[in-house]
């Protein structure tokens, strides 16, 4: 029996699913005695150090946790469950950690995008059963802006390189804790958790020893989901956001089945966008929650969900906050939520007043779940100009000329799935959202969507060069070379595609095979 410490934030469901997949039963901690009587304790954490510690103090879990750690019984911490073991964190300098290890948690101060999001390797520093059955060159999923700095070097199990060489896991006695998320690291993560749970006696030597790791570029499969006219939830795909063909909503398959297929074929991440979320309210649209729950039972890579994340008042006058909507998604298995229309309205308000209110969906969700859990999805469309002057927007000189030979354009943000253009450009939106606490940009392009003509490299460069958070290039992928182009001509961290993956026109494995000696990628398939 595994006891799982759920303090109410983050994606605990994924950890439960991963442990159940191994065949273990789980008891979720509901009071102090559950911690004290645990045989094996798993402490997963996502979000903000300060809010996590506040909850642990409020629930009076701090002393029992320290007692448990001292008892010598097995403990596995994940992400914030690693940070919590240290004395303090730069994320919340006024809040003490458990202080089981001397040292602190530091913020990345590097010349690369922060958060560090994606698949990276580990340099194993000492023999451990944790890596039994693995070769040593596997990649694990990371998502964090902070890392631990132990005073005692002997506790370091692995390090990882990202601008600096940081500690990516620790191990001492029966305590193991990882910065990366085994529950989101596909088959290799499941093996690693199994090694903790089943405690193999022998250590098997690794065939590969790394001394420098590299973050992989991510290949993301995106499923645009909505109800068709018969009321079935289907994966659809538009051409420049028009998803109807001969009057019917295009049906490319069932969301859960298709997501599982993409996972097995090697997708590094799966995104679901509820594309009619602007008019259907997610908490009334229960199929989205249940599709997430079912998907997370079988898919062990990060899941992002978007559509309809905003404050909402129902017909009976009950108001739900965007944070409540996001929380429901996280509880159902999402690792990140994606905000589209609401982000545009928030940025417009911010630009009008110049004030951060702390009340917007971006700020609130980021405060509770951490910046890395908040993606802003941008749906821009090109507006061509013959001159760059007096426009009041970020204008670029373009090689793709307009219909009347115009040599300039700006990227107009839209809301409601491209139905309404706003007086705001994509570069400004990305910058404002980063300031408000977004951790990643999903950069679509209506002109390119569904065209198979390649990513809008000019757009990706304009946005990527204006922010320090990771950018997912989206819209237009038609062949393997398009992925190579976007990764070599821009600094985008990820490339997303929909149509070509759903229709099997270009399998994910073909993309990775093509990229493998040219661009750092994760090669494993998941079974
Ligand atoms: O505004 O917060 O409710 O979120 C709605 C979300 O739904 C937004 O993220 C928005 O991008 C998305 N959305 C709304 N309408 C559509 C539509 O297609 N009619 N889909 C839509 C956006 C774009 C990508 C697509 C890529 C890759 N789809 O997700 O998957 O363009 O396609 P490709 O590789 O086939 O070219 P809110």
């Amino acid at each position: 029996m595994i006891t799982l410490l759920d303090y109410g934030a983050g994606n605990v469901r994924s950890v439960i699913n991963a442990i159940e997949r191994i065949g273990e039963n789980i008891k979720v901690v509901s009071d102090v005695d559950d911690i004290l009587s645990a045989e094996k304790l798993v402490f997963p954490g996502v979000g903000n150090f300060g809010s996590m510690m506040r909850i642990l103090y409020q629930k009076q879990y701090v002393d029992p946790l320290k007692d448990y750690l001292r008892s010598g019984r097995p403990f596995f911490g994940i992400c914030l469950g690693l940070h919590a073991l240290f004395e303090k964190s730069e994320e919340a300098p006024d809040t003490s950690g458990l202080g089981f290890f001397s040292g602190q948690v530091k913020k990345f101060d590097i010349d690369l995008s922060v958060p560090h999001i994606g698949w990276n390797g580990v340099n194993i520093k000492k023999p451990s059963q944790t890596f039994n059955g693995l070769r040593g060159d596997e990649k694990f999923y990371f998502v964090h802006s902070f890392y631990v700095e132990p005073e005692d070097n002997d506790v370091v199990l692995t390090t990882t390189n990202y601008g600096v060489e940081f500690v990516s896991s620790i191990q001492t006695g029966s305590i193991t804790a990882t910065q990366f998320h085994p529950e989101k690291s596909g088959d290799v993560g499941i093996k690693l958790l199994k090694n903790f749970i089943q405690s193999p006696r022998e250590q098997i030597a690794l065939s590969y020893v790394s001394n420098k790791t590299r973050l992989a570029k991510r290949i993301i499969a995106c499923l645009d989901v909505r109800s068709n006219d018969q009321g079935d939830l289907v994966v659809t795909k538009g051409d420049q956001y028009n998803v109807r063909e001969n009057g019917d909503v295009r049906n490319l398959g069932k969301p859960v089945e298709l997501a599982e297929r993409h996972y097995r074929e090697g997708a590094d991440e799966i995104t679901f966008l509820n594309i009619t979320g602007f008019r259907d309210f997610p908490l009334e649209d229960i199929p989205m929650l249940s599709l997430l729950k079912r998907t997370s039972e079988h898919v062990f890579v990060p899941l992002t969900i978007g559509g309809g994340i905003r404050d909402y008042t129902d017909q009976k006058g009950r108001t739900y906050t965007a944070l409540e909507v996001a929380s429901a998604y996280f509880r159902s298995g999402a690792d990140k939520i994606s905000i589209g229309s609401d982000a545009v309205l928030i940025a417009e308000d911010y630009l009008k007043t110049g004030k951060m209110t702390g009340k917007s969906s971006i700020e609130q969700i980021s405060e509770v779940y951490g910046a890395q859990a908040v993606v802003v999805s941008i749906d821009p469309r090109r507006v061509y100009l013959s001159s760059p002057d007096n426009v009041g927007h970020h204008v670029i000189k373009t090689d793709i000329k307009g219909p009347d030979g115009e040599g300039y354009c700006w990227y107009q943000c839209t809301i409601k799935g491209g139905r309404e253009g706003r007086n705001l450009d994509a570069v400004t939106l990305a910058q404002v959202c980063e300031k408000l606490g977004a951790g990643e940009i999903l950069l679509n392009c209506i002109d390119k969507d569904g065209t198979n003509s390649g990513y809008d490299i000019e757009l990706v460069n304009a946005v990527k060069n204006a922010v320090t958070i990771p950018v997912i290039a989206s819209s237009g992928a038609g062949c393997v070379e398009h992925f190579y182009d976007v990764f070599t001509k821009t600094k985008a961290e990820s490339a997303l595609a929909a149509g070509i993956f759903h229709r099997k026109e270009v399998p994910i494995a073909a993309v990775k095979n093509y990229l493998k000696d040219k661009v750092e990628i994760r090669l494993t398939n998941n079974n």
Side-chain angles (χ1 to χ4, degrees):
M1 169 77 75
I2 302 294
T3 303
L4 187 112
L5 178 58
D6 174 11
Y7 61 93
N11 181 1
V12 169
R13 176 162 291 274
S14 300
V15 181
I16 295 177
N17 290 337
I19 294 172
E20 286 180 346
R21 165 82 159 236
I22 297 164
E24 268 290 343
N25 294 324
I26 294 186
K27 178 181 177 66
V28 177
V29 169
S30 57
D31 59 32
V32 167
D33 287 341
D34 291 334
I35 298 178
L36 293 171
S37 62
E39 293 161 15
K40 282 187 179 172
L41 188 64
V42 175
F43 181 14
V46 182
N48 179 292
F49 184 89
S51 64
M52 168 187 68
M53 286 310 304
R54 273 193 296 280
I55 299 172
L56 293 181
Y57 280 108
Q58 267 159 20
K59 293 192 180 233
Q60 300 187 332
Y61 285 173
V62 169
D63 288 332
L65 260 173
K66 287 183 184 168
D67 287 347
Y68 182 89
L69 289 163
R70 274 187 230 113
S71 74
R73 279 171 281 158
F75 173 92
F76 199 104
I78 301 171
C79 194
L80 275 189
L82 163 66
H83 296 187
L85 302 175
F86 287 79
E87 293 166 297
K88 55 184 178 169
S89 170
E90 286 181 3
E91 192 173 12
D94 300 331
T95 315
S96 311
L98 297 174
F100 189 77
F101 292 111
S102 302
Q104 59 165 328
V105 184
K106 291 189 66 173
K107 184 160 181 149
F108 278 116
D109 181 13
I110 50 176
D111 221 8
L112 297 168
S113 296
V114 175
H116 169 222
I117 301 185
W119 299 78
N120 205 332
V122 289
N123 310 305
I124 299 171
K125 298 291 180 187
K126 59 183 181 185
S128 164
Q129 293 146 340
T130 306
F131 296 100
N132 272 9
L134 302 181
R135 291 183 311 271
D137 63 348
E138 290 85 356
K139 290 193 190 292
F140 297 90
Y141 186 72
F142 288 82
V143 51
H144 61 124
S145 305
F146 297 83
Y147 60 93
V148 297
E149 213 175 48
E151 269 173 26
D152 177 4
N153 227 14
D154 290 349
V155 302
V156 176
L157 175 60
T158 63
T159 62
T160 293
N161 301 88
Y162 187 66
V164 289
E165 184 175 358
F166 69 91
V167 173
S168 50
S169 65
I170 56 146
Q171 189 162 61
T172 180
S174 53
I175 298 172
T176 308
T178 59
Q179 180 60 68
F180 53 86
H181 290 263
E183 79 283 10
K184 287 286 148 190
S185 298
D187 282 353
V188 298
I190 301 277
K191 267 191 196 139
L192 190 139
L193 278 174
K194 202 171 180 176
N195 285 340
F196 166 74
I197 288 168
Q198 300 179 344
S199 321
R201 273 170 214 276
E202 296 164 47
Q203 278 160 25
I204 300 168
L206 299 163
S207 53
Y208 176 92
V209 178
S210 150
N211 53 23
K212 181 142 196 206
T213 67
R214 289 176 69 195
L215 179 68
K217 298 286 185 183
R218 279 170 286 156
I219 308 295
I220 302 177
C222 181
L223 293 84
D224 290 355
V225 177
R226 61 163 286 172
S227 296
N228 64 12
D229 298 325
Q230 292 70 47
D232 303 320
L233 204 60
V234 297
V235 176
T236 189
K237 182 68 214 85
D239 290 329
Q240 301 184 319
Y241 284 32
N242 177 10
V243 299
R244 288 187 181 268
E245 196 167 63
N246 305 322
D248 292 328
V249 172
R250 273 198 202 113
N251 181 348
L252 296 191
K254 295 184 180 165
V256 179
E257 285 78 349
L258 200 49
E260 285 179 25
R261 196 193 93 203
H262 291 323
Y263 168 67
R264 283 194 305 274
E265 291 176 0
D268 297 319
E269 207 169 307
I270 307 275
T271 296
F272 287 111
L273 295 176
N274 175 2
I275 66 168
T276 51
F278 67 89
R279 55 171 183 246
D280 310 322
F281 179 55
L283 295 189
E284 283 168 355
D285 193 11
I286 303 304
M288 285 310 287
L289 295 179
S290 82
L291 97 77
L292 206 49
K293 280 185 188 149
R294 285 189 292 137
T295 305
S296 68
E297 281 166 18
H298 303 283
V299 170
F300 297 101
V301 292
L303 296 175
T304 302
I305 185 140
I309 297 179
R310 65 199 145 100
D311 297 342
Y312 179 82
T313 304
D314 71 12
Q315 286 175 340
K316 293 182 196 133
R318 168 150 187 218
T319 298
Y320 299 83
T321 63
L323 179 61
E324 285 175 87
V325 181
S327 300
Y329 277 147
F330 289 126
R331 277 195 302 276
S332 303
D335 300 283
K336 303 189 249 183
I337 53 85
S338 155
I339 303 175
S341 303
D342 202 35
V344 176
L345 305 178
I346 292 166
E348 287 176 351
D349 271 354
Y350 172 81
L351 291 168
K352 233 181 273 160
T353 63
K355 282 197 193 120
M356 289 167 67
T357 61
K359 293 192 175 132
S360 70
S361 55
I362 299 174
E363 289 160 284
Q364 290 201 348
I365 300 167
S366 176
E367 162 72 20
V368 176
Y369 291 95
Q372 79 292 331
V374 181
V375 182
V376 165
S377 166
I378 307 183
D379 300 310
R381 180 184 274 128
R382 280 180 170 228
V383 177
Y384 282 101
L385 304 163
S386 44
S387 150
D389 303 326
N390 305 323
V391 185
H393 294 297
H394 280 91
V395 174
I396 62 154
K397 195 167 185 312
T398 177
D399 288 339
I400 309 162
K401 302 279 181 242
D404 296 317
E406 296 95 330
Y408 297 90
C409 75
W410 66 282
Y411 289 92
Q412 181 185 34
C413 293
T414 65
I415 59 173
K416 302 179 182 169
R419 287 167 181 79
E420 194 180 315
R422 308 290 293 193
N423 189 27
L424 176 68
D425 67 77
V427 174
T428 306
L429 175 63
Q431 287 175 319
V432 172
C433 291
E434 172 175 20
K435 193 167 191 173
L436 292 172
E440 196 170 23
I441 301 292
L442 164 49
L443 187 56
N444 303 298
C445 177
I446 298 180
D447 310 85
K448 287 287 191 171
D449 174 64
T451 62
N452 293 0
S453 60
Y455 295 95
D456 189 328
I457 301 289
E458 294 174 338
L459 168 65
V460 179
N461 273 325
V463 171
K464 179 66 212 171
N465 294 339
V467 294
T468 64
I469 53 179
V471 169
I472 302 166
S474 164
S475 306
C479 59
V480 293
E481 289 83 357
H482 290 154
F483 292 85
Y484 178 74
D485 280 352
V486 81
F487 287 138
T488 50
K489 294 181 181 162
T490 80
K491 292 189 180 138
E493 282 80 2
S494 316
L496 173 153
I500 55 168
F501 291 160
H502 303 335
R503 298 189 174 103
K504 296 190 178 175
E505 289 158 4
V506 181
I508 295 172
V511 174
K512 291 197 167 182
N513 272 334
Y514 181 78
L515 294 178
K516 79 175 177 227
D517 298 320
K518 309 177 181 82
V519 173
E520 187 75 14
I521 44 148
R522 178 184 76 114
L523 269 172
T524 339
N525 280 359
N526 301 302
N527 295 306

